[in-house]
Short mmCIF file of all heavy atoms in Angstrom, two decimals:
data_model
loop_
_atom_site.label_atom_id
_atom_site.label_comp_id
_atom_site.label_asym_id
_atom_site.label_seq_id
_atom_site.Cartn_x
_atom_site.Cartn_y
_atom_site.Cartn_z
N THR Y 1 9.99 4.89 5.40
CA THR Y 1 9.33 5.40 6.61
C THR Y 1 9.39 4.43 7.77
O THR Y 1 9.13 4.81 8.92
CB THR Y 1 7.85 5.70 6.29
OG1 THR Y 1 7.22 4.51 5.77
CG2 THR Y 1 7.73 6.81 5.26
N SER Y 2 9.75 3.16 7.51
CA SER Y 2 9.84 2.19 8.60
C SER Y 2 11.16 2.30 9.35
O SER Y 2 11.32 1.69 10.41
CB SER Y 2 9.67 0.76 8.06
OG SER Y 2 10.79 0.39 7.26
N GLU Y 3 12.11 3.06 8.81
CA GLU Y 3 13.43 3.17 9.43
C GLU Y 3 13.59 4.53 10.11
O GLU Y 3 12.85 5.49 9.80
CB GLU Y 3 14.53 2.98 8.39
CG GLU Y 3 14.53 1.60 7.76
CD GLU Y 3 15.61 1.43 6.71
OE1 GLU Y 3 16.45 2.35 6.57
OE2 GLU Y 3 15.63 0.39 6.04
N LEU Y 4 14.56 4.60 11.01
CA LEU Y 4 14.82 5.82 11.77
C LEU Y 4 16.20 6.37 11.35
O LEU Y 4 17.19 5.64 11.42
CB LEU Y 4 14.80 5.53 13.27
CG LEU Y 4 15.08 6.72 14.21
CD1 LEU Y 4 13.96 7.75 14.11
CD2 LEU Y 4 15.23 6.22 15.65
N SER Y 5 16.24 7.62 10.93
CA SER Y 5 17.52 8.24 10.59
C SER Y 5 18.33 8.49 11.86
O SER Y 5 17.77 8.79 12.92
CB SER Y 5 17.30 9.56 9.84
OG SER Y 5 16.68 9.32 8.59
N LEU Y 6 19.66 8.37 11.73
CA LEU Y 6 20.54 8.49 12.89
C LEU Y 6 21.60 9.56 12.65
O LEU Y 6 22.01 9.80 11.51
CB LEU Y 6 21.22 7.15 13.17
CG LEU Y 6 20.32 5.94 13.40
CD1 LEU Y 6 21.15 4.68 13.52
CD2 LEU Y 6 19.47 6.15 14.65
N LEU Y 7 22.05 10.15 13.75
CA LEU Y 7 23.17 11.09 13.73
C LEU Y 7 24.27 10.55 14.63
O LEU Y 7 24.00 10.06 15.73
CB LEU Y 7 22.74 12.48 14.21
CG LEU Y 7 21.73 13.23 13.33
CD1 LEU Y 7 21.32 14.53 14.00
CD2 LEU Y 7 22.32 13.50 11.96
N ALA Y 8 25.49 10.62 14.17
CA ALA Y 8 26.61 10.09 14.93
C ALA Y 8 26.68 10.73 16.32
O ALA Y 8 26.41 11.92 16.49
CB ALA Y 8 27.92 10.33 14.18
N ASP Y 9 26.97 9.91 17.34
CA ASP Y 9 27.19 10.30 18.74
C ASP Y 9 25.90 10.55 19.52
O ASP Y 9 25.97 10.81 20.73
CB ASP Y 9 28.09 11.55 18.83
CG ASP Y 9 29.48 11.30 18.29
OD1 ASP Y 9 29.96 10.15 18.42
OD2 ASP Y 9 30.09 12.23 17.74
N GLU Y 10 24.73 10.46 18.90
CA GLU Y 10 23.51 10.64 19.68
C GLU Y 10 23.17 9.34 20.41
O GLU Y 10 23.61 8.25 20.03
CB GLU Y 10 22.35 11.07 18.78
CG GLU Y 10 21.84 10.00 17.84
CD GLU Y 10 20.59 10.44 17.09
OE1 GLU Y 10 19.85 11.28 17.63
OE2 GLU Y 10 20.35 9.93 15.98
N LEU Y 11 22.35 9.44 21.48
CA LEU Y 11 21.91 8.28 22.26
C LEU Y 11 20.46 7.99 21.96
O LEU Y 11 19.63 8.91 21.90
CB LEU Y 11 22.09 8.55 23.76
CG LEU Y 11 23.53 8.74 24.26
CD1 LEU Y 11 23.53 9.03 25.75
CD2 LEU Y 11 24.37 7.50 23.97
N ILE Y 12 20.15 6.73 21.76
CA ILE Y 12 18.77 6.32 21.49
C ILE Y 12 18.46 5.09 22.33
O ILE Y 12 19.36 4.44 22.88
CB ILE Y 12 18.54 6.00 20.00
CG1 ILE Y 12 19.43 4.83 19.55
CG2 ILE Y 12 18.78 7.23 19.13
CD1 ILE Y 12 19.14 4.37 18.14
N THR Y 13 17.19 4.77 22.45
CA THR Y 13 16.74 3.56 23.12
C THR Y 13 16.45 2.49 22.07
O THR Y 13 15.81 2.78 21.05
CB THR Y 13 15.48 3.83 23.95
OG1 THR Y 13 15.75 4.85 24.91
CG2 THR Y 13 15.01 2.57 24.67
N VAL Y 14 16.92 1.28 22.31
CA VAL Y 14 16.73 0.20 21.32
C VAL Y 14 16.18 -1.04 22.01
O VAL Y 14 16.39 -1.25 23.21
CB VAL Y 14 18.06 -0.14 20.61
CG1 VAL Y 14 18.55 1.02 19.77
CG2 VAL Y 14 19.15 -0.56 21.59
N TYR Y 15 15.48 -1.83 21.22
CA TYR Y 15 14.99 -3.13 21.69
C TYR Y 15 14.65 -3.96 20.46
O TYR Y 15 14.59 -3.46 19.33
CB TYR Y 15 13.78 -2.96 22.60
CG TYR Y 15 12.65 -2.14 22.01
CD1 TYR Y 15 11.65 -2.72 21.23
CD2 TYR Y 15 12.58 -0.76 22.25
CE1 TYR Y 15 10.63 -1.97 20.69
CE2 TYR Y 15 11.57 0.00 21.73
CZ TYR Y 15 10.59 -0.60 20.95
OH TYR Y 15 9.58 0.15 20.41
N THR Y 16 14.44 -5.24 20.69
CA THR Y 16 14.09 -6.14 19.60
C THR Y 16 12.70 -6.70 19.82
O THR Y 16 12.16 -6.62 20.94
CB THR Y 16 15.12 -7.28 19.50
OG1 THR Y 16 14.83 -8.06 18.32
CG2 THR Y 16 15.07 -8.19 20.72
N VAL Y 17 12.11 -7.24 18.77
CA VAL Y 17 10.79 -7.86 18.85
C VAL Y 17 10.86 -9.22 18.19
O VAL Y 17 11.73 -9.46 17.33
CB VAL Y 17 9.72 -6.98 18.14
CG1 VAL Y 17 9.57 -5.65 18.86
CG2 VAL Y 17 10.08 -6.75 16.69
N PRO Y 18 10.00 -10.14 18.58
CA PRO Y 18 10.04 -11.49 18.00
C PRO Y 18 9.87 -11.48 16.49
O PRO Y 18 9.08 -10.70 15.94
CB PRO Y 18 8.86 -12.19 18.70
CG PRO Y 18 8.65 -11.42 19.97
CD PRO Y 18 8.99 -10.02 19.64
N GLY Y 19 10.66 -12.34 15.83
CA GLY Y 19 10.57 -12.48 14.38
C GLY Y 19 11.27 -11.38 13.60
O GLY Y 19 11.19 -11.35 12.37
N MET Y 20 12.00 -10.52 14.29
CA MET Y 20 12.68 -9.41 13.60
C MET Y 20 14.04 -9.85 13.09
O MET Y 20 14.74 -10.66 13.72
CB MET Y 20 12.83 -8.22 14.56
CG MET Y 20 13.34 -6.95 13.92
SD MET Y 20 13.33 -5.59 15.08
CE MET Y 20 13.99 -4.29 14.05
N ASP Y 21 14.45 -9.31 11.96
CA ASP Y 21 15.78 -9.57 11.40
C ASP Y 21 16.83 -9.23 12.45
O ASP Y 21 16.84 -8.12 12.99
CB ASP Y 21 15.97 -8.70 10.15
CG ASP Y 21 17.28 -9.01 9.40
OD1 ASP Y 21 18.20 -9.53 10.04
OD2 ASP Y 21 17.34 -8.72 8.20
N PRO Y 22 17.75 -10.17 12.78
CA PRO Y 22 18.76 -9.90 13.83
C PRO Y 22 19.73 -8.78 13.47
O PRO Y 22 20.47 -8.33 14.34
CB PRO Y 22 19.48 -11.25 13.97
CG PRO Y 22 19.25 -11.95 12.67
CD PRO Y 22 17.88 -11.53 12.23
N ASP Y 23 19.78 -8.38 12.19
CA ASP Y 23 20.66 -7.26 11.82
C ASP Y 23 20.06 -5.91 12.17
O ASP Y 23 20.71 -4.88 11.99
CB ASP Y 23 20.94 -7.30 10.31
CG ASP Y 23 21.90 -8.42 9.94
OD1 ASP Y 23 22.51 -8.98 10.86
OD2 ASP Y 23 22.03 -8.72 8.74
N TRP Y 24 18.83 -5.90 12.66
CA TRP Y 24 18.12 -4.65 12.91
C TRP Y 24 17.55 -4.64 14.33
O TRP Y 24 17.30 -5.69 14.92
CB TRP Y 24 16.97 -4.44 11.91
CG TRP Y 24 17.44 -4.30 10.50
CD1 TRP Y 24 17.81 -5.29 9.65
CD2 TRP Y 24 17.60 -3.08 9.79
NE1 TRP Y 24 18.19 -4.77 8.45
CE2 TRP Y 24 18.08 -3.41 8.49
CE3 TRP Y 24 17.40 -1.74 10.10
CZ2 TRP Y 24 18.35 -2.46 7.53
CZ3 TRP Y 24 17.66 -0.78 9.14
CH2 TRP Y 24 18.12 -1.14 7.87
N LEU Y 25 17.36 -3.45 14.85
CA LEU Y 25 16.69 -3.24 16.13
C LEU Y 25 15.65 -2.15 15.95
O LEU Y 25 15.68 -1.40 14.97
CB LEU Y 25 17.69 -2.81 17.21
CG LEU Y 25 18.76 -3.83 17.63
CD1 LEU Y 25 19.77 -3.17 18.55
CD2 LEU Y 25 18.14 -5.03 18.30
N ILE Y 26 14.73 -2.06 16.90
CA ILE Y 26 13.80 -0.94 16.93
C ILE Y 26 14.45 0.16 17.75
O ILE Y 26 14.93 -0.06 18.87
CB ILE Y 26 12.45 -1.33 17.56
CG1 ILE Y 26 11.80 -2.45 16.74
CG2 ILE Y 26 11.52 -0.12 17.63
CD1 ILE Y 26 11.47 -2.06 15.32
N GLY Y 27 14.55 1.36 17.18
CA GLY Y 27 15.14 2.49 17.87
C GLY Y 27 14.12 3.57 18.13
O GLY Y 27 13.23 3.82 17.31
N GLU Y 28 14.22 4.20 19.30
CA GLU Y 28 13.30 5.27 19.68
C GLU Y 28 14.10 6.51 20.09
O GLU Y 28 15.09 6.41 20.81
CB GLU Y 28 12.38 4.84 20.82
CG GLU Y 28 11.34 3.80 20.41
CD GLU Y 28 10.31 3.55 21.51
OE1 GLU Y 28 10.44 4.19 22.58
OE2 GLU Y 28 9.40 2.73 21.31
N ARG Y 29 13.64 7.65 19.60
CA ARG Y 29 14.21 8.95 19.97
C ARG Y 29 13.04 9.89 20.21
O ARG Y 29 12.43 10.38 19.25
CB ARG Y 29 15.12 9.48 18.88
CG ARG Y 29 15.82 10.79 19.24
CD ARG Y 29 16.27 11.60 18.05
NE ARG Y 29 17.08 10.87 17.11
CZ ARG Y 29 16.70 10.56 15.88
NH1 ARG Y 29 15.48 10.90 15.46
NH2 ARG Y 29 17.48 9.92 15.06
N GLY Y 30 12.72 10.13 21.48
CA GLY Y 30 11.54 10.94 21.77
C GLY Y 30 10.29 10.24 21.27
O GLY Y 30 10.02 9.07 21.60
N ASN Y 31 9.50 10.93 20.44
CA ASN Y 31 8.30 10.31 19.89
C ASN Y 31 8.53 9.71 18.51
O ASN Y 31 7.59 9.33 17.82
CB ASN Y 31 7.17 11.35 19.82
CG ASN Y 31 7.57 12.54 18.94
OD1 ASN Y 31 8.70 12.61 18.46
ND2 ASN Y 31 6.65 13.48 18.76
N GLN Y 32 9.81 9.65 18.08
CA GLN Y 32 10.15 9.03 16.80
C GLN Y 32 10.57 7.58 17.03
O GLN Y 32 11.25 7.27 18.01
CB GLN Y 32 11.28 9.80 16.12
CG GLN Y 32 10.91 11.21 15.72
CD GLN Y 32 12.08 11.94 15.08
OE1 GLN Y 32 13.22 11.82 15.54
NE2 GLN Y 32 11.81 12.69 14.02
N LYS Y 33 10.19 6.73 16.08
CA LYS Y 33 10.46 5.31 16.22
C LYS Y 33 10.69 4.70 14.84
O LYS Y 33 10.05 5.11 13.87
CB LYS Y 33 9.30 4.63 16.95
CG LYS Y 33 9.46 3.13 17.12
CD LYS Y 33 8.40 2.57 18.06
CE LYS Y 33 6.99 2.89 17.58
NZ LYS Y 33 5.96 2.30 18.47
N GLY Y 34 11.60 3.73 14.76
CA GLY Y 34 11.85 3.06 13.48
C GLY Y 34 12.98 2.06 13.60
O GLY Y 34 13.66 1.96 14.63
N LYS Y 35 13.14 1.27 12.56
CA LYS Y 35 14.20 0.26 12.55
C LYS Y 35 15.55 0.95 12.35
O LYS Y 35 15.67 1.93 11.61
CB LYS Y 35 13.97 -0.73 11.42
CG LYS Y 35 12.74 -1.60 11.61
CD LYS Y 35 12.63 -2.65 10.51
CE LYS Y 35 12.47 -2.00 9.14
NZ LYS Y 35 12.34 -2.99 8.07
N VAL Y 36 16.58 0.40 13.02
CA VAL Y 36 17.95 0.94 12.90
C VAL Y 36 18.90 -0.23 12.72
O VAL Y 36 18.70 -1.31 13.30
CB VAL Y 36 18.35 1.76 14.15
CG1 VAL Y 36 17.51 3.02 14.25
CG2 VAL Y 36 18.22 0.94 15.42
N PRO Y 37 19.96 -0.08 11.92
CA PRO Y 37 20.91 -1.17 11.72
C PRO Y 37 21.82 -1.36 12.93
O PRO Y 37 22.36 -0.40 13.48
CB PRO Y 37 21.71 -0.72 10.49
CG PRO Y 37 21.61 0.76 10.48
CD PRO Y 37 20.28 1.09 11.07
N VAL Y 38 22.01 -2.61 13.33
CA VAL Y 38 22.82 -2.93 14.50
C VAL Y 38 24.25 -2.46 14.36
O VAL Y 38 24.89 -1.98 15.30
CB VAL Y 38 22.78 -4.46 14.76
CG1 VAL Y 38 23.77 -4.85 15.84
CG2 VAL Y 38 21.38 -4.90 15.16
N THR Y 39 24.79 -2.59 13.14
CA THR Y 39 26.20 -2.30 12.94
C THR Y 39 26.52 -0.81 13.06
O THR Y 39 27.70 -0.43 13.01
CB THR Y 39 26.66 -2.78 11.55
OG1 THR Y 39 25.76 -2.31 10.56
CG2 THR Y 39 26.71 -4.30 11.52
N TYR Y 40 25.52 0.03 13.19
CA TYR Y 40 25.75 1.46 13.36
C TYR Y 40 25.66 1.88 14.83
O TYR Y 40 25.70 3.06 15.14
CB TYR Y 40 24.72 2.25 12.55
CG TYR Y 40 25.04 2.37 11.08
CD1 TYR Y 40 25.07 1.25 10.26
CD2 TYR Y 40 25.34 3.60 10.53
CE1 TYR Y 40 25.37 1.35 8.93
CE2 TYR Y 40 25.65 3.72 9.19
CZ TYR Y 40 25.67 2.58 8.37
OH TYR Y 40 25.98 2.68 7.05
N LEU Y 41 25.55 0.89 15.74
CA LEU Y 41 25.31 1.19 17.15
C LEU Y 41 26.39 0.60 18.04
O LEU Y 41 27.01 -0.41 17.71
CB LEU Y 41 23.95 0.63 17.58
CG LEU Y 41 22.71 1.08 16.77
CD1 LEU Y 41 21.50 0.32 17.24
CD2 LEU Y 41 22.51 2.59 16.87
N GLU Y 42 26.57 1.23 19.19
CA GLU Y 42 27.36 0.68 20.27
C GLU Y 42 26.42 0.57 21.48
O GLU Y 42 25.99 1.59 22.03
CB GLU Y 42 28.55 1.58 20.60
CG GLU Y 42 29.38 1.06 21.77
CD GLU Y 42 30.47 2.01 22.18
OE1 GLU Y 42 30.64 3.05 21.49
OE2 GLU Y 42 31.14 1.74 23.18
#
């Protein structure tokens, strides 16, 4: 539940927070929010 499911080619908003694993970002899509892997993003 801490992660956000992704669909190829969609656009999301991402940001990082202090102390977070550098392989992950926080992703937001509308009112949904969760961790997303960096390597799946451009």
Side-chain angles (χ1 to χ4, degrees):
T1 56
S2 69
E3 297 179 7
L4 179 66
S5 295
L6 303 174
L7 294 175
D9 296 328
E10 70 174 332
L11 295 178
I12 62 173
T13 301
V14 295
Y15 53 87
T16 187
V17 295
M20 188 174 179
D21 186 337
D23 287 347
W24 296 79
L25 294 172
I26 299 297
E28 290 189 0
R29 184 203 307 113
N31 59 357
Q32 295 178 319
K33 178 170 57 178
K35 293 185 298 181
V36 294
V38 172
T39 50
Y40 280 64
L41 305 174
E42 178 185 355

